[in-house]
Amino acid sequence: WNRNNNRWACNCDFQSSPITVFATEDSSFRAISSELRLLTKYEGPINAMVGAYWQDTKRDFWQHIAFANLEDSSQSAVNRYQATSKNSETEGETISVFGQAIWSITSTVEATAGVRYTHETKDSYFLQPYNNAGVTFIFRPSTDPLGVVTAKQTFKNWSPEATLSWKPMEDVMLYVAYKSGYKSGGFSGSGINSGFSQNPLADLSFEPEKARGFEVGVKSTLADNQLRLNATVYTYKYKDLQVDFFRSDIFAFNTVTADAKTQGAEVEVQFAPHAAPGLELHG
């Protein structure tokens, strides 16, 4: 069980003039999840791991913004000095099942292959309940036919993986792996329903992010368990990488997607010399 509440107030253009931009936010997120795994330990060369995961989430979002020295004395005390306000909510549920086969080809060579299936649903809404009359051309009011945006999203994904590893000696393992990953799609609950937008549902919704690629590496414990040395070379391609972007055509921040590639190398060292108990060096 996890709950997070984020509240802030800011002078958001960092100026001291009377027409500066002020904003406050109150955003809460709650998640409940559970995972169950079963791993076999047969004496034969083949074993398996299976499991299931469940998660239930809810996010509530409020934001109030004042700028351009706008005031409407006919409004309540809450709205009098506001330019716009936002309210959104997303409720989500994730169910995932996964399995992996483990094959000890020899005493030093092992192969694993598996797949994860994910099914997600998200129900969201977004509205701007108050807008000063002077900014309704930018911030679409909730009374507009497109002013209340709702989304019922369903995402499904299969993510396979496979690894081949070799232990030339007891404390050294070399491996090559194919991996794929998945990041949920969703709804920009903190975005803007812009008066310039012709399709606010499409602007506020975004697709899942997917990655696939290869790794080659070594994991080792050396020097009588004093030195841990790991190294990896990797390359991954991303489809629909989620990026926050300011769209000048609709004057709004949105989460958009793009294709990308990342590749590189990592080296990790941990040294704990027997001659100096308690000392650890990391790099």
Side-chain angles (χ1 to χ4, degrees), residues 4 38 59 84 109 127 134 145 155 190 204 210 239 244 246:
N4 173 273
L38 175 66
R59 185 194 186 206
T84 186
V109 178
L127 69 151
F155 305 110
S190 60
L204 293 172
K210 301 174 184 177
K239 178 176 172 56
D244 288 334
F246 182 76

Side-chain angles (χ1 to χ4, degrees), residues 124-177:
S124 307
Y125 73 77
F126 178 94
L127 69 151
Q128 288 153 174
Y130 173 77
N131 294 278
N132 184 285
V135 295
T136 52
F137 69 100
I138 300 176
F139 300 96
R140 181 174 277 125
S142 57
T143 53
D144 188 283
L146 298 176
V148 179
V149 185
T150 60
K152 290 186 178 292
Q153 298 171 293
T154 300
F155 305 110
K156 302 176 184 179
N157 175 260
W158 292 90
S159 293
E161 53 86 20
T163 302
L164 181 66
S165 61
W166 173 45
K167 286 188 171 183
M169 58 187 70
E170 183 178 356
D171 295 326
V172 176
M173 183 188 74
L174 306 173
Y175 74 93
V176 57

